[in-house]
Each structure stands twice: as structure tokens, then as C-alpha cells.
PDB file of all heavy atoms in Angstrom:
ATOM      1  N   ALA O   1      -4.639  -8.547   0.316  1.00 98.00           N
ATOM      2  CA  ALA O   1      -5.126  -9.926   0.252  1.00 98.00           C
ATOM      3  C   ALA O   1      -5.811 -10.184  -1.076  1.00 98.00           C
ATOM      4  O   ALA O   1      -5.603 -11.265  -1.675  1.00 98.00           O
ATOM      5  CB  ALA O   1      -6.111 -10.172   1.417  1.00 98.00           C
ATOM      6  N   ALA O   2      -6.606  -9.246  -1.570  1.00 98.00           N
ATOM      7  CA  ALA O   2      -7.316  -9.457  -2.835  1.00 98.00           C
ATOM      8  C   ALA O   2      -6.359  -9.541  -4.005  1.00 98.00           C
ATOM      9  O   ALA O   2      -6.511 -10.373  -4.915  1.00 98.00           O
ATOM     10  CB  ALA O   2      -8.310  -8.328  -3.071  1.00 98.00           C
ATOM     11  N   LEU O   3      -5.307  -8.702  -4.015  1.00 98.00           N
ATOM     12  CA  LEU O   3      -4.319  -8.781  -5.063  1.00 98.00           C
ATOM     13  C   LEU O   3      -3.537 -10.076  -5.006  1.00 98.00           C
ATOM     14  O   LEU O   3      -3.217 -10.676  -6.050  1.00 98.00           O
ATOM     15  CB  LEU O   3      -3.379  -7.546  -4.994  1.00 98.00           C
ATOM     16  CG  LEU O   3      -4.013  -6.214  -5.418  1.00 98.00           C
ATOM     17  CD1 LEU O   3      -3.189  -5.050  -4.945  1.00 98.00           C
ATOM     18  CD2 LEU O   3      -4.171  -6.177  -6.951  1.00 98.00           C
ATOM     19  N   ARG O   4      -3.198 -10.507  -3.839  1.00 98.00           N
ATOM     20  CA  ARG O   4      -2.491 -11.768  -3.686  1.00 98.00           C
ATOM     21  C   ARG O   4      -3.328 -12.934  -4.199  1.00 98.00           C
ATOM     22  O   ARG O   4      -2.853 -13.800  -4.917  1.00 98.00           O
ATOM     23  CB  ARG O   4      -2.152 -12.013  -2.209  1.00 98.00           C
ATOM     24  CG  ARG O   4      -0.856 -11.374  -1.728  1.00 98.00           C
ATOM     25  CD  ARG O   4      -0.682 -11.622  -0.255  1.00 98.00           C
ATOM     26  NE  ARG O   4       0.666 -11.363   0.210  1.00 98.00           N
ATOM     27  CZ  ARG O   4       1.014 -11.315   1.476  1.00 98.00           C
ATOM     28  NH1 ARG O   4       0.096 -11.550   2.436  1.00 98.00           N
ATOM     29  NH2 ARG O   4       2.270 -11.076   1.842  1.00 98.00           N
ATOM     30  N   ARG O   5      -4.616 -12.951  -3.825  1.00 98.00           N
ATOM     31  CA  ARG O   5      -5.505 -14.031  -4.248  1.00 98.00           C
ATOM     32  C   ARG O   5      -5.648 -14.037  -5.772  1.00 98.00           C
ATOM     33  O   ARG O   5      -5.924 -15.096  -6.375  1.00 98.00           O
ATOM     34  CB  ARG O   5      -6.877 -13.888  -3.602  1.00 98.00           C
ATOM     35  CG  ARG O   5      -6.919 -14.327  -2.155  1.00 98.00           C
ATOM     36  CD  ARG O   5      -8.339 -14.504  -1.662  1.00 98.00           C
ATOM     37  NE  ARG O   5      -9.091 -13.258  -1.720  1.00 98.00           N
ATOM     38  CZ  ARG O   5      -9.173 -12.385  -0.735  1.00 98.00           C
ATOM     39  NH1 ARG O   5      -8.542 -12.617   0.378  1.00 98.00           N
ATOM     40  NH2 ARG O   5      -9.890 -11.298  -0.912  1.00 98.00           N
ATOM     41  N   SER O   6      -5.496 -12.877  -6.378  1.00 98.00           N
ATOM     42  CA  SER O   6      -5.602 -12.793  -7.837  1.00 98.00           C
ATOM     43  C   SER O   6      -4.292 -13.131  -8.554  1.00 98.00           C
ATOM     44  O   SER O   6      -4.214 -13.061  -9.785  1.00 98.00           O
ATOM     45  CB  SER O   6      -6.038 -11.366  -8.229  1.00 98.00           C
ATOM     46  OG  SER O   6      -7.336 -11.103  -7.753  1.00 98.00           O
ATOM     47  N   GLY O   7      -3.295 -13.524  -7.773  1.00 98.00           N
ATOM     48  CA  GLY O   7      -2.056 -13.989  -8.351  1.00 98.00           C
ATOM     49  C   GLY O   7      -0.999 -12.955  -8.564  1.00 98.00           C
ATOM     50  O   GLY O   7       0.040 -13.226  -9.195  1.00 98.00           O
ATOM     51  N   PHE O   8      -1.169 -11.747  -8.001  1.00 98.00           N
ATOM     52  CA  PHE O   8      -0.185 -10.698  -8.169  1.00 98.00           C
ATOM     53  C   PHE O   8       0.913 -10.818  -7.117  1.00 98.00           C
ATOM     54  O   PHE O   8       0.651 -11.173  -5.982  1.00 98.00           O
ATOM     55  CB  PHE O   8      -0.834  -9.324  -8.094  1.00 98.00           C
ATOM     56  CG  PHE O   8      -1.772  -9.044  -9.234  1.00 98.00           C
ATOM     57  CD1 PHE O   8      -3.161  -9.038  -9.049  1.00 98.00           C
ATOM     58  CD2 PHE O   8      -1.293  -8.802 -10.512  1.00 98.00           C
ATOM     59  CE1 PHE O   8      -4.026  -8.816 -10.084  1.00 98.00           C
ATOM     60  CE2 PHE O   8      -2.135  -8.578 -11.571  1.00 98.00           C
ATOM     61  CZ  PHE O   8      -3.526  -8.568 -11.358  1.00 98.00           C
ATOM     62  N   ARG O   9       2.114 -10.494  -7.537  1.00 97.00           N
ATOM     63  CA  ARG O   9       3.287 -10.618  -6.706  1.00 97.00           C
ATOM     64  C   ARG O   9       3.441  -9.403  -5.791  1.00 97.00           C
ATOM     65  O   ARG O   9       3.351  -8.255  -6.246  1.00 97.00           O
ATOM     66  CB  ARG O   9       4.529 -10.781  -7.596  1.00 97.00           C
ATOM     67  CG  ARG O   9       5.847 -10.878  -6.920  1.00 97.00           C
ATOM     68  CD  ARG O   9       6.960 -10.769  -7.953  1.00 97.00           C
ATOM     69  NE  ARG O   9       8.265 -10.922  -7.395  1.00 97.00           N
ATOM     70  CZ  ARG O   9       9.128 -11.892  -7.644  1.00 97.00           C
ATOM     71  NH1 ARG O   9       8.760 -12.832  -8.536  1.00 97.00           N
ATOM     72  NH2 ARG O   9      10.307 -11.949  -7.107  1.00 97.00           N
ATOM     73  N   VAL O  10       3.735  -9.633  -4.505  1.00 98.00           N
ATOM     74  CA  VAL O  10       4.011  -8.544  -3.567  1.00 98.00           C
ATOM     75  C   VAL O  10       5.416  -8.026  -3.851  1.00 98.00           C
ATOM     76  O   VAL O  10       6.342  -8.757  -4.045  1.00 98.00           O
ATOM     77  CB  VAL O  10       3.911  -9.046  -2.113  1.00 98.00           C
ATOM     78  CG1 VAL O  10       4.360  -7.979  -1.140  1.00 98.00           C
ATOM     79  CG2 VAL O  10       2.460  -9.464  -1.812  1.00 98.00           C
ATOM     80  N   ALA O  11       5.561  -6.700  -3.840  1.00 98.00           N
ATOM     81  CA  ALA O  11       6.861  -6.065  -4.086  1.00 98.00           C
ATOM     82  C   ALA O  11       7.852  -6.445  -3.005  1.00 98.00           C
ATOM     83  O   ALA O  11       7.521  -6.358  -1.809  1.00 98.00           O
ATOM     84  CB  ALA O  11       6.686  -4.574  -4.193  1.00 98.00           C
ATOM     85  N   GLY O  12       9.017  -6.808  -3.412  1.00 95.00           N
ATOM     86  CA  GLY O  12      10.082  -7.135  -2.454  1.00 95.00           C
ATOM     87  C   GLY O  12      11.103  -6.047  -2.310  1.00 95.00           C
ATOM     88  O   GLY O  12      12.030  -6.158  -1.469  1.00 95.00           O
ATOM     89  N   TYR O  13      10.969  -4.958  -3.029  1.00 96.00           N
ATOM     90  CA  TYR O  13      11.998  -3.897  -3.048  1.00 96.00           C
ATOM     91  C   TYR O  13      11.609  -2.700  -2.186  1.00 96.00           C
ATOM     92  O   TYR O  13      12.383  -1.736  -2.112  1.00 96.00           O
ATOM     93  CB  TYR O  13      12.246  -3.461  -4.496  1.00 96.00           C
ATOM     94  CG  TYR O  13      11.104  -2.763  -5.156  1.00 96.00           C
ATOM     95  CD1 TYR O  13      10.996  -1.384  -5.190  1.00 96.00           C
ATOM     96  CD2 TYR O  13      10.071  -3.518  -5.758  1.00 96.00           C
ATOM     97  CE1 TYR O  13       9.899  -0.760  -5.805  1.00 96.00           C
ATOM     98  CE2 TYR O  13       8.970  -2.901  -6.361  1.00 96.00           C
ATOM     99  CZ  TYR O  13       8.906  -1.513  -6.388  1.00 96.00           C
ATOM    100  OH  TYR O  13       7.842  -0.914  -6.993  1.00 96.00           O
ATOM    101  N   ILE O  14      10.446  -2.722  -1.559  1.00 94.00           N
ATOM    102  CA  ILE O  14       9.971  -1.555  -0.830  1.00 94.00           C
ATOM    103  C   ILE O  14       9.016  -2.032   0.255  1.00 94.00           C
ATOM    104  O   ILE O  14       8.526  -3.170   0.194  1.00 94.00           O
ATOM    105  CB  ILE O  14       9.244  -0.584  -1.794  1.00 94.00           C
ATOM    106  CG1 ILE O  14       9.091   0.791  -1.171  1.00 94.00           C
ATOM    107  CG2 ILE O  14       7.925  -1.148  -2.249  1.00 94.00           C
ATOM    108  CD1 ILE O  14       8.633   1.861  -2.142  1.00 94.00           C
ATOM    109  N   ALA O  15       8.846  -1.183   1.263  1.00 86.00           N
ATOM    110  CA  ALA O  15       7.850  -1.450   2.316  1.00 86.00           C
ATOM    111  C   ALA O  15       8.160  -2.719   3.119  1.00 86.00           C
ATOM    112  O   ALA O  15       7.238  -3.393   3.617  1.00 86.00           O
ATOM    113  CB  ALA O  15       6.437  -1.520   1.750  1.00 86.00           C
ATOM    114  N   GLY O  16       9.433  -3.058   3.236  1.00 91.00           N
ATOM    115  CA  GLY O  16       9.804  -4.195   4.034  1.00 91.00           C
ATOM    116  C   GLY O  16       9.452  -5.529   3.423  1.00 91.00           C
ATOM    117  O   GLY O  16       9.579  -6.579   4.079  1.00 91.00           O
ATOM    118  N   GLY O  17       8.982  -5.534   2.186  1.00 94.00           N
ATOM    119  CA  GLY O  17       8.697  -6.765   1.479  1.00 94.00           C
ATOM    120  C   GLY O  17       7.345  -7.402   1.847  1.00 94.00           C
ATOM    121  O   GLY O  17       7.065  -8.511   1.343  1.00 94.00           O
ATOM    122  N   ASP O  18       6.530  -6.740   2.661  1.00 96.00           N
ATOM    123  CA  ASP O  18       5.230  -7.335   3.002  1.00 96.00           C
ATOM    124  C   ASP O  18       4.077  -6.699   2.260  1.00 96.00           C
ATOM    125  O   ASP O  18       2.913  -7.077   2.477  1.00 96.00           O
ATOM    126  CB  ASP O  18       4.977  -7.259   4.523  1.00 96.00           C
ATOM    127  CG  ASP O  18       4.768  -5.825   5.021  1.00 96.00           C
ATOM    128  OD1 ASP O  18       4.926  -4.864   4.208  1.00 96.00           O
ATOM    129  OD2 ASP O  18       4.418  -5.649   6.203  1.00 96.00           O
ATOM    130  N   GLY O  19       4.366  -5.766   1.375  1.00 97.00           N
ATOM    131  CA  GLY O  19       3.316  -5.185   0.544  1.00 97.00           C
ATOM    132  C   GLY O  19       2.546  -4.071   1.156  1.00 97.00           C
ATOM    133  O   GLY O  19       1.672  -3.497   0.526  1.00 97.00           O
ATOM    134  N   LEU O  20       2.841  -3.701   2.408  1.00 98.00           N
ATOM    135  CA  LEU O  20       2.164  -2.634   3.096  1.00 98.00           C
ATOM    136  C   LEU O  20       3.163  -1.517   3.432  1.00 98.00           C
ATOM    137  O   LEU O  20       4.201  -1.770   4.026  1.00 98.00           O
ATOM    138  CB  LEU O  20       1.489  -3.096   4.368  1.00 98.00           C
ATOM    139  CG  LEU O  20       0.364  -4.085   4.225  1.00 98.00           C
ATOM    140  CD1 LEU O  20      -0.203  -4.463   5.604  1.00 98.00           C
ATOM    141  CD2 LEU O  20      -0.754  -3.559   3.330  1.00 98.00           C
ATOM    142  N   ASP O  21       2.805  -0.290   3.070  1.00 97.00           N
ATOM    143  CA  ASP O  21       3.660   0.874   3.336  1.00 97.00           C
ATOM    144  C   ASP O  21       2.817   1.945   4.012  1.00 97.00           C
ATOM    145  O   ASP O  21       1.667   2.153   3.619  1.00 97.00           O
ATOM    146  CB  ASP O  21       4.242   1.395   2.031  1.00 97.00           C
ATOM    147  CG  ASP O  21       5.415   2.362   2.257  1.00 97.00           C
ATOM    148  OD1 ASP O  21       5.906   2.431   3.400  1.00 97.00           O
ATOM    149  OD2 ASP O  21       5.817   3.019   1.281  1.00 97.00           O
ATOM    150  N   PHE O  22       3.341   2.602   5.038  1.00 97.00           N
ATOM    151  CA  PHE O  22       2.608   3.622   5.772  1.00 97.00           C
ATOM    152  C   PHE O  22       3.389   4.937   5.658  1.00 97.00           C
ATOM    153  O   PHE O  22       4.548   5.002   6.054  1.00 97.00           O
ATOM    154  CB  PHE O  22       2.407   3.221   7.231  1.00 97.00           C
ATOM    155  CG  PHE O  22       1.552   1.991   7.355  1.00 97.00           C
ATOM    156  CD1 PHE O  22       2.114   0.744   7.357  1.00 97.00           C
ATOM    157  CD2 PHE O  22       0.151   2.120   7.414  1.00 97.00           C
ATOM    158  CE1 PHE O  22       1.320  -0.414   7.463  1.00 97.00           C
ATOM    159  CE2 PHE O  22      -0.634   0.973   7.520  1.00 97.00           C
ATOM    160  CZ  PHE O  22      -0.060  -0.275   7.528  1.00 97.00           C
ATOM    161  N   ARG O  23       2.718   5.937   5.098  1.00 97.00           N
ATOM    162  CA  ARG O  23       3.377   7.204   4.829  1.00 97.00           C
ATOM    163  C   ARG O  23       2.571   8.393   5.341  1.00 97.00           C
ATOM    164  O   ARG O  23       1.356   8.365   5.351  1.00 97.00           O
ATOM    165  CB  ARG O  23       3.602   7.349   3.319  1.00 97.00           C
ATOM    166  CG  ARG O  23       4.619   6.348   2.775  1.00 97.00           C
ATOM    167  CD  ARG O  23       4.799   6.473   1.270  1.00 97.00           C
ATOM    168  NE  ARG O  23       5.233   7.810   0.863  1.00 97.00           N
ATOM    169  CZ  ARG O  23       5.585   8.117  -0.391  1.00 97.00           C
ATOM    170  NH1 ARG O  23       5.525   7.161  -1.335  1.00 97.00           N
ATOM    171  NH2 ARG O  23       5.940   9.334  -0.707  1.00 97.00           N
ATOM    172  N   ALA O  24       3.312   9.423   5.775  1.00 97.00           N
ATOM    173  CA  ALA O  24       2.708  10.605   6.336  1.00 97.00           C
ATOM    174  C   ALA O  24       2.859  11.823   5.420  1.00 97.00           C
ATOM    175  O   ALA O  24       2.464  12.922   5.808  1.00 97.00           O
ATOM    176  CB  ALA O  24       3.333  10.907   7.698  1.00 97.00           C
ATOM    177  N   ASP O  25       3.386  11.631   4.215  1.00 97.00           N
ATOM    178  CA  ASP O  25       3.750  12.754   3.352  1.00 97.00           C
ATOM    179  C   ASP O  25       2.873  12.882   2.132  1.00 97.00           C
ATOM    180  O   ASP O  25       3.195  13.693   1.235  1.00 97.00           O
ATOM    181  CB  ASP O  25       5.213  12.617   2.914  1.00 97.00           C
ATOM    182  CG  ASP O  25       5.458  11.363   2.078  1.00 97.00           C
ATOM    183  OD1 ASP O  25       4.853  10.308   2.403  1.00 97.00           O
ATOM    184  OD2 ASP O  25       6.244  11.416   1.130  1.00 97.00           O
ATOM    185  N   LEU O  26       1.799  12.166   2.022  1.00 98.00           N
ATOM    186  CA  LEU O  26       0.996  12.160   0.810  1.00 98.00           C
ATOM    187  C   LEU O  26      -0.354  12.867   1.048  1.00 98.00           C
ATOM    188  O   LEU O  26      -1.166  12.447   1.853  1.00 98.00           O
ATOM    189  CB  LEU O  26       0.723  10.731   0.324  1.00 98.00           C
ATOM    190  CG  LEU O  26       1.977   9.936  -0.030  1.00 98.00           C
ATOM    191  CD1 LEU O  26       1.607   8.488  -0.356  1.00 98.00           C
ATOM    192  CD2 LEU O  26       2.721  10.578  -1.213  1.00 98.00           C
ATOM    193  N   ALA O  27      -0.563  13.962   0.300  1.00 98.00           N
ATOM    194  CA  ALA O  27      -1.812  14.724   0.456  1.00 98.00           C
ATOM    195  C   ALA O  27      -3.035  13.890   0.150  1.00 98.00           C
ATOM    196  O   ALA O  27      -4.091  14.070   0.769  1.00 98.00           O
ATOM    197  CB  ALA O  27      -1.770  15.955  -0.455  1.00 98.00           C
ATOM    198  N   THR O  28      -2.910  12.991  -0.806  1.00 98.00           N
ATOM    199  CA  THR O  28      -4.038  12.151  -1.192  1.00 98.00           C
ATOM    200  C   THR O  28      -4.562  11.346   0.014  1.00 98.00           C
ATOM    201  O   THR O  28      -5.756  11.040   0.109  1.00 98.00           O
ATOM    202  CB  THR O  28      -3.627  11.179  -2.326  1.00 98.00           C
ATOM    203  OG1 THR O  28      -3.175  11.964  -3.436  1.00 98.00           O
ATOM    204  CG2 THR O  28      -4.799  10.313  -2.755  1.00 98.00           C
ATOM    205  N   LEU O  29      -3.656  11.015   0.915  1.00 98.00           N
ATOM    206  CA  LEU O  29      -4.044  10.282   2.130  1.00 98.00           C
ATOM    207  C   LEU O  29      -4.299  11.237   3.278  1.00 98.00           C
ATOM    208  O   LEU O  29      -5.300  11.099   3.984  1.00 98.00           O
ATOM    209  CB  LEU O  29      -2.936   9.300   2.518  1.00 98.00           C
ATOM    210  CG  LEU O  29      -2.483   8.296   1.463  1.00 98.00           C
ATOM    211  CD1 LEU O  29      -1.390   7.373   2.038  1.00 98.00           C
ATOM    212  CD2 LEU O  29      -3.642   7.494   0.929  1.00 98.00           C
ATOM    213  N   ASN O  30      -3.425  12.211   3.482  1.00 98.00           N
ATOM    214  CA  ASN O  30      -3.498  13.089   4.653  1.00 98.00           C
ATOM    215  C   ASN O  30      -4.788  13.906   4.707  1.00 98.00           C
ATOM    216  O   ASN O  30      -5.318  14.185   5.810  1.00 98.00           O
ATOM    217  CB  ASN O  30      -2.320  14.068   4.654  1.00 98.00           C
ATOM    218  CG  ASN O  30      -1.013  13.404   5.010  1.00 98.00           C
ATOM    219  OD1 ASN O  30      -1.010  12.309   5.522  1.00 98.00           O
ATOM    220  ND2 ASN O  30       0.091  14.072   4.681  1.00 98.00           N
ATOM    221  N   LEU O  31      -5.338  14.322   3.568  1.00 98.00           N
ATOM    222  CA  LEU O  31      -6.475  15.207   3.557  1.00 98.00           C
ATOM    223  C   LEU O  31      -7.799  14.487   3.471  1.00 98.00           C
ATOM    224  O   LEU O  31      -8.863  15.106   3.404  1.00 98.00           O
ATOM    225  CB  LEU O  31      -6.355  16.195   2.387  1.00 98.00           C
ATOM    226  CG  LEU O  31      -5.131  17.121   2.444  1.00 98.00           C
ATOM    227  CD1 LEU O  31      -5.067  18.026   1.237  1.00 98.00           C
ATOM    228  CD2 LEU O  31      -5.128  17.937   3.737  1.00 98.00           C
ATOM    229  N   SER O  32      -7.753  13.180   3.502  1.00 98.00           N
ATOM    230  CA  SER O  32      -8.976  12.375   3.431  1.00 98.00           C
ATOM    231  C   SER O  32      -9.633  12.239   4.797  1.00 98.00           C
ATOM    232  O   SER O  32      -8.954  11.982   5.791  1.00 98.00           O
ATOM    233  CB  SER O  32      -8.693  11.010   2.847  1.00 98.00           C
ATOM    234  OG  SER O  32      -9.861  10.234   2.741  1.00 98.00           O
ATOM    235  N   ASP O  33     -10.929  12.361   4.830  1.00 98.00           N
ATOM    236  CA  ASP O  33     -11.710  12.074   6.027  1.00 98.00           C
ATOM    237  C   ASP O  33     -12.446  10.750   5.930  1.00 98.00           C
ATOM    238  O   ASP O  33     -13.278  10.420   6.794  1.00 98.00           O
ATOM    239  CB  ASP O  33     -12.731  13.200   6.282  1.00 98.00           C
ATOM    240  CG  ASP O  33     -12.067  14.526   6.632  1.00 98.00           C
ATOM    241  OD1 ASP O  33     -10.957  14.490   7.188  1.00 98.00           O
ATOM    242  OD2 ASP O  33     -12.659  15.550   6.344  1.00 98.00           O
ATOM    243  N   VAL O  34     -12.169   9.991   4.869  1.00 98.00           N
ATOM    244  CA  VAL O  34     -12.759   8.677   4.688  1.00 98.00           C
ATOM    245  C   VAL O  34     -11.632   7.659   4.546  1.00 98.00           C
ATOM    246  O   VAL O  34     -10.502   8.013   4.154  1.00 98.00           O
ATOM    247  CB  VAL O  34     -13.694   8.639   3.476  1.00 98.00           C
ATOM    248  CG1 VAL O  34     -14.766   9.710   3.606  1.00 98.00           C
ATOM    249  CG2 VAL O  34     -12.938   8.803   2.188  1.00 98.00           C
ATOM    250  N   PRO O  35     -11.860   6.395   4.869  1.00 98.00           N
ATOM    251  CA  PRO O  35     -10.806   5.383   4.732  1.00 98.00           C
ATOM    252  C   PRO O  35     -10.225   5.384   3.325  1.00 98.00           C
ATOM    253  O   PRO O  35     -10.963   5.428   2.333  1.00 98.00           O
ATOM    254  CB  PRO O  35     -11.541   4.077   5.018  1.00 98.00           C
ATOM    255  CG  PRO O  35     -12.682   4.467   5.919  1.00 98.00           C
ATOM    256  CD  PRO O  35     -13.103   5.821   5.403  1.00 98.00           C
TER     257      PRO O  35
END
């Protein structure tokens, strides 16, 4: 939402075109205990 409000374009080539992607294969996300 913040990027959209700042005028940035949501990617249409990935993540179904809605700008949100959910992945289970990234250590940067998987090993985090904080949001």
C-alpha cells in the first residue's frame, strides 16, 4: 500500500499481478522469528 501510494507500479509479471508473493524457500524469511 505504501509503495502504491508513492506512485510505484505493481509488477504484472509475477505473483499473480497483485504485488504479493508468498514463498517457503527463502532463508531470510524462514529463519525469522519476527514479522
Side-chain angles (χ1 to χ4, degrees):
L3 287 164
R4 275 177 164 170
R5 284 194 299 269
S6 295
F8 294 107
R9 178 190 182 116
V10 173
Y13 66 97
I14 197 169
D18 69 353
L20 295 180
D21 195 12
F22 295 90
R23 292 178 57 174
D25 63 322
L26 299 174
T28 302
L29 305 182
N30 288 343
L31 298 178
S32 181
D33 293 333
V34 304

